Amino acid sequence: MNSVVYRTHAFLLCLMGQFRGGGLICVYWEAALRLTISSLASDPFRAIRNLRRIIHRWLGTCTERETEMDKKISVENLKLTPQNDTYYIAWSIGVDKKYKKHMKKEIKSQLTDVLGSMTQNNAVEDISVYSHNKTAEKHGEFIIWDYLILMQIKEKEDAEIILPNLKNVNIPFVLETIRMELLVTTPNSTYPTPGEGARKRHVKPFYAIEYVDVQPNHLDEFRDIMINNNGPAMKYIMEEARWCHNFYALETLTVFYHHSSYPTWNQIHVIGLYLESIFLYKKDFSKGLALTHSISFEENFAQLKKIRTMLYKTIGRKMI
């Protein structure tokens, strides 16, 4: 029972984070979760029953809110266009724990200082920083790292200037560089702009970051699955189900630096999600697959399981 209580408590804290900063209605749900947490140790079965009620009511509120918004929107839902042939630099880092509270405040300004003219002339078009708060999946014995920094660049050739500068820079709170790499978007699989419904949400998404290792002789097969199955299914979810905020599917082109103490990967996926994704993922993904490629959820992921390893999957926040 202690393990059940512990896991439920951790899950409740994660849920509670979804409602912070989301206005009055979110304050209500956060308060309800706090009461559930306080009763967890003394009466766990009652607390879990309350949790089920909170989730059902919250999902119902989301549905009602989205229905109301749909009535106000006179234009047709935004039809998403994939981001193709776009290049990103990924910098995976470990940070000294005592500096973590300064990370959000300092990292963008320090990166801007380091990159200098490259940000001014838009060679670096966008910088995003994602925290790794909770480990969802891990295969292998290795120390987990703390952050992923993604930089969208204008041209592939810009990486030849940017990456050496990053490697030689001294940012005080960056304890360890795990990896620096150049990636490109998987065709028809990256949707950085949220759909109409997601852009109207009252809470911020959380983010799943996946470091995926595809067997080298199956890279083309994996890309085909993304192009024909997973990418279109995620587009359907973003346009219709609306619990996915955005989706990045990135393939490694060049590894500029990799710390030898850590395992390797060749894909990074970044997925912005809302709470109901936990409950609706399989149902909606299955529908998206059926509409786009007439393959079942089980068949699709059985193929993937044979050719790739989910090396490290983490849940966190977009800090910048």
Side-chain angles (χ1 to χ4, degrees):
M1 177 55 69
N2 287 339
S3 63
V4 173
V5 170
Y6 173 80
R7 289 196 300 270
T8 305
H9 184 264
F11 179 59
L12 286 171
L13 290 175
C14 180
L15 294 188
M16 199 162 66
Q18 294 299 300
F19 302 116
R20 289 181 182 144
L24 182 61
I25 192 165
C26 293
V27 171
Y28 166 79
W29 294 117
E30 184 178 348
L33 285 173
R34 285 188 184 277
L35 288 172
T36 304
I37 290 172
S38 66
S39 65
L40 187 59
S42 58
D43 192 348
F45 291 107
R46 182 180 179 185
I48 291 170
R49 286 197 299 271
N50 287 339
L51 173 61
R52 291 180 62 187
R53 293 192 195 100
I54 290 171
I55 290 170
H56 285 303
R57 289 175 184 173
W58 185 79
L59 289 176
T61 302
C62 288
T63 302
E64 291 169 7
R65 193 186 306 140
E66 288 181 356
T67 301
E68 290 172 3
M69 286 189 289
D70 287 342
K71 292 177 182 177
K72 296 176 183 178
I73 299 170
S74 58
V75 297
E76 187 178 358
N77 281 353
L78 176 68
K79 296 302 179 185
L80 301 174
T81 302
Q83 185 187 66
N84 293 328
D85 301 316
T86 305
Y87 296 93
Y88 287 82
I89 288 172
W91 186 12
S92 301
I93 61 172
V95 172
D96 193 323
K97 289 183 180 179
K98 65 183 178 182
Y99 291 120
K100 280 191 174 183
K101 62 182 178 181
H102 303 295
M103 180 74 179
K104 183 175 182 179
K105 182 179 179 181
E106 298 291 337
I107 187 63
K108 189 165 186 177
S109 63
Q110 294 210 21
L111 284 174
T112 302
D113 290 342
V114 169
L115 298 173
S117 61
M118 286 175 279
T119 54
Q120 293 174 14
N121 65 17
N122 293 325
V124 178
E125 296 186 318
D126 186 51
I127 299 174
S128 301
V129 180
Y130 301 91
S131 63
H132 297 357
N133 296 348
K134 301 289 182 183
T135 299
E137 196 170 343
K138 180 174 176 277
H139 293 275
E141 295 298 323
F142 55 89
I143 299 171
I144 60 175
W145 51 98
D146 303 301
Y147 296 95
L148 170 68
I149 300 171
L150 269 186
M151 289 171 275
Q152 182 182 336
I153 59 176
K154 184 183 288 185
E155 303 289 345
K156 179 181 178 181
E157 292 71 23
D158 293 327
E160 297 174 5
I161 302 171
I162 296 168
L163 283 165
N165 283 349
L166 283 178
K167 185 65 181 70
N168 294 327
V169 74
N170 179 28
I171 297 180
F173 48 77
V174 176
L175 183 66
E176 192 169 48
T177 290
I178 314 305
R179 179 157 154 147
M180 288 180 175
E181 61 191 303
L182 174 68
L183 306 102
V184 66
T185 51
T186 301
N188 297 329
S189 302
T190 295
Y191 298 91
T193 304
E196 188 74 58
R199 288 190 288 124
K200 299 289 186 179
R201 300 293 291 248
H202 292 265
V203 293
K204 293 181 179 180
F206 62 92
Y207 282 83
I209 315 294
E210 300 177 343
Y211 297 85
V212 183
D213 183 31
V214 178
Q215 298 170 27
N217 57 330
H218 289 284
L219 285 169
D220 289 341
E221 181 183 353
F222 182 84
R223 185 182 296 113
D224 288 343
I225 291 173
M226 292 299 301
I227 292 171
N228 296 311
N229 300 0
N230 290 27
M234 291 305 294
K235 180 184 179 183
Y236 163 78
I237 287 167
M238 288 180 65
E239 287 183 337
E240 303 296 335
R242 305 178 185 182
W243 50 253
C244 180
H245 187 79
N246 50 13
F247 180 59
Y248 296 80
L250 306 174
E251 306 173 4
T252 300
L253 287 179
T254 305
V255 178
F256 180 76
Y257 170 82
H258 187 92
H259 196 300
S260 59
S261 299
Y262 294 85
T264 60
W265 58 85
N266 48 34
Q267 319 280 323
I268 296 178
H269 294 169
V270 179
I271 313 129
L273 299 166
Y274 296 100
L275 177 61
E276 63 266 34
S277 62
I278 300 169
F279 310 98
L280 302 177
Y281 168 69
K282 184 175 181 179
K283 177 179 75 70
D284 289 337
F285 203 98
S286 297
K287 188 171 183 179
L289 287 173
L291 290 172
T292 58
H293 202 57
S294 300
I295 187 173
S296 73
F297 183 92
E298 289 75 15
E299 290 170 334
N300 185 67
F301 282 92
Q303 290 179 356
L304 287 173
K305 190 175 182 179
K306 293 176 184 177
I307 64 174
R308 65 100 167 100
T309 300
M310 186 67 71
L311 187 70
Y312 178 37
K313 181 176 181 177
T314 177
I315 305 298
R317 295 281 182 182
K318 183 179 180 182
M319 301 178 62
I320 296 172

